[in-house]
Amino acid sequence: MSNSLNKKFHLAGNIFDSPDQVPARNGYGEGVVQAGYADENVVVLCCDLTESTRNAKFKETFPERFIEIGIAEQNMAGIAAGMAFSGKIPYISSYATFNPGRNWDQIRISICYSMANVKIMGAHAGISVGPDGATHQAMEDIAITRCLPNLKVIVPCDYWETKKAAIAIAGIESPVYMRFGREKIPVITTEKTPFQIGRADTYRDGQDVTVIACGSLVYEALVAAEKLSGDGIDLRVINCHTVKPIDEKSIIKAAKETGAIVTAEEHQVHGGLGNAVAEVVAKNSPVPMEYVAMMDRFGESGEPNELMHKFGLDSKGIIKAVKKVLRRK
Amino acid sequence: MAVTDAQIEYLEDMATHIREDIIIMLEKAGSGHSAGSLGTADIFSTLYFHVMKHDPKNLDWEERDRFVLSNAHICPVLYATLAEAGYYPKKEIMTLRKLGSRLQGHPHKGALPGLEASGGPLAQGLSIAAGMAMAAKIDARRSRVFCMVGDGEMNEGQVWEALMFISKNRLHNFTLIVDRNNIQIDGFTEDVMPLEPLHDKLTSFGFHVIEVDGHNIRRLIEAFEETIFEKPKVLLAHTIPGKGVDFMEFKPEWHGKPPNKEEADKAISELEQLRSLGGKITGEHE
């Protein structure tokens, strides 16, 4: 394990060796069951995707609190709002393209405008859903949720973080959007890794450039940092799992101390984490920035790793962006 | 329990008060929806002053009945009703649609006491109401949920999604009121997007459907009280848009506009002349 990783986060010892590979959605599935045990008001609503959204365990454990909506995401959002107004804590699940894609208007008015305590779970997010193609690759969901008042947006980086977040959000009286992918991804955090909504975590303390990433790209950022350290480039890596409200303090500190920022996310370049970071940087401490993201185009069918590589959403893409931003520093 | 003539008279008087409030607030606001608001005043009077179990002094009462206005653009009727019921000071109706008002152009839950949901984008209220009925069922609470939709609103697919959900879960604590006034913004509902045979459609979706004259309070009470075990209910309420103000009745142009000062004065004087009929005559729909 690299000595440069911040020890207080107790990251996995095998990150750069052969990290465990587990889908983040498994973390959600286990987390929501724990949330269900902790609070009997937790209910789960699902749109005919119980297994793939990892709600089967909750359904089996709390059958009377699992509500099958059928293929009707708009209805699901409204029903959840009504249940929240009656004291329930509904988790609503579908693929991120539909939830919050198809039911955005309902999320806006039924949920956010009314401060309904609903947890919106966007599964199969990102291009890594792969062979299903562009229709099912949610690459715009952060943009369309980040703009909604009252809504918190969380993009956990792996299995453990998704599990912790799924549990933590039950405890805050607020609508929340959380997105996670379908595929197995490296487990980089551990059970002991602290997680706090709204706090960006500096996993690696570097001085030359900061990579601010979320979701599956946090691992890629750490790998990029490890590779670049051989070239004498010292990367800071921040896991910005809470895209909204964003941790301005950590970002401003990174801008001031490293003088250049690269953002990395499995999402369109417009409206996502990169823009959220840029808003903070431009206002408080302007420094050169580069974005690792989907460059304003739709995806296509392919294997997840092929797609991530093709669109530069990997450590190679991050390294390229780092070198580019360094030239502008 | 038989309803007395005095009770009917009281509810009809209340409906007239609600209509007066609607005219006053819309004229002051300078924009808003007149026809649907006036057309449903009798239903609101019946619901809030006879049918529903609610307490303006105890907003968080879990066992209360809940009402959700899904065709939320006719919120002047809801605001007037809540004011008459004592949810907030009546003088505040003059602030409708004004900067800083609790009476937003479309309802904002949390802004004004008594609002169970926000609304505006059509069909959303129906799903929200369905969620409330579901929560009551899970918690074995005896509260009922009432929801109004406009007939034009039934063009929205989400309406039918919600109806399937209500039917599937046998939410017999749920009553839907369809404001069947046959008019939507672009014209008659049957021209814009035909709904008929609406009664049959709703029946086939698993509802107990009762057609009722939406201005006959005695009939409305009977319809609200009629229950079929384990079946959700629909009141297909035939109403006259603009009801109570002669020059507004049946006129589509009054869907989305308020009266000016002169029109408002004329409307108020018409409403003042309305005498209670004690439910003695039935509407033209019967």
Side-chain angles (χ1 to χ4, degrees), chain B residues 16 28 38 40 42 44 64 72 81 103 114 131 160 174 178 197-198 206 208 241 259 261 281:
Chain B
T16 302
K28 202 82 188 161
L38 291 167
T40 52
D42 303 298
F44 275 80
R64 74 187 183 280
T81 304
L103 281 67
W160 304 94
F174 183 89
V178 177
L198 188 53
H208 176 56
K261 185 74 180 72
I281 45 172

Side-chain angles (χ1 to χ4, degrees), chain A residues 207-327:
Chain A
Q207 294 304 317
D208 296 333
V209 174
T210 303
V211 180
I212 301 177
C214 65
S216 58
L217 271 290
V218 176
Y219 166 76
E220 300 294 334
L222 290 172
V223 171
E226 194 68 5
K227 286 180 183 162
L228 283 169
S229 68
D231 300 345
I233 298 169
D234 189 18
L235 278 195
R236 179 176 300 191
V237 176
I238 294 179
N239 172 12
C240 193
H241 48 70
T242 307
V243 178
K244 189 184 180 184
I246 202 155
D247 182 351
E248 297 197 3
K249 237 169 97 182
S250 297
I251 294 169
I252 295 167
K253 187 164 178 274
K256 288 193 168 141
E257 291 177 2
T258 68
I261 288 175
V262 168
T263 59
E265 62 196 305
E266 206 182 324
H267 187 273
Q268 295 289 357
V269 66
H270 296 134
L273 171 71
N275 283 180
V277 170
E279 287 160 14
V280 177
V281 171
K283 186 180 168 195
N284 298 283
S285 181
V287 295
M289 278 188 69
E290 291 292 334
Y291 306 103
V292 172
M294 196 70 169
M295 289 302 162
D296 197 24
R297 61 155 290 176
F298 285 105
E300 60 182 285
S301 290
E303 287 307 313
N305 55 349
E306 292 174 335
L307 292 165
M308 297 295 273
H309 180 65
K310 170 165 181 172
F311 294 108
L313 306 173
D314 57 6
S315 60
K316 276 187 186 154
I318 293 170
I319 289 168
K320 220 167 114 185
V322 166
K323 290 187 171 165
K324 200 170 165 193
V325 86
L326 268 174
R327 289 197 292 274

Side-chain angles (χ1 to χ4, degrees), chain B residues 3-16:
Chain B
V3 186
T4 64
D5 285 353
Q7 282 176 303
I8 300 284
E9 212 166 300
Y10 169 76
L11 294 171
E12 285 179 344
D13 265 356
M14 185 55 73
T16 302

Side-chain angles (χ1 to χ4, degrees), chain A residues 43 64-65 67-69 71-76 78-83 85-86 88 105-106 109-110 113-114, chain B residues 66 104 106-109 116-119 121 124 127-128 130-132 134-135 138-139 141 158 161-162 165 168:
Chain A
V43 293
E64 73 291 354
R65 285 151 58 186
I67 298 157
E68 175 62 79
I69 303 289
I71 310 162
E73 298 78 12
Q74 304 168 39
N75 192 32
M76 173 169 72
I79 288 167
M83 296 188 80
F85 298 151
S86 305
K88 301 293 173 198
D105 179 30
Q106 287 75 11
I109 296 304
S110 295
Y113 188 43
S114 314
Chain B
R66 287 154 174 85
Q104 288 292 295
H106 291 80
H108 183 194
K109 178 182 163 60
E116 298 284 3
S118 302
Q124 293 199 21
S127 295
I128 293 170
M132 290 172 175
M134 188 69 190
I138 290 173
D139 293 343
R141 259 185 293 115
Q158 190 184 348
E161 293 179 1
F165 176 86
K168 172 195 171 185

Side-chain angles (χ1 to χ4, degrees), chain A residues 132-185:
Chain A
D132 279 347
T135 56
H136 284 56
Q137 293 161 351
M139 299 296 275
E140 301 81 16
D141 55 313
I142 297 174
I144 63 172
T145 51
R146 194 169 76 81
C147 60
L148 288 172
N150 298 338
L151 186 61
K152 292 180 169 56
V153 180
I154 301 176
V155 187
C157 70
D158 71 353
Y159 159 82
W160 278 114
E161 195 166 81
T162 309
K163 182 169 177 175
K164 287 170 198 158
I167 297 165
I169 56 178
I172 54 168
E173 179 93 18
S174 166
V176 174
Y177 172 58
M178 183 161 97
R179 61 125 55 171
F180 40 87
R182 173 184 189 276
E183 287 303 298
K184 286 181 180 172
I185 54 170

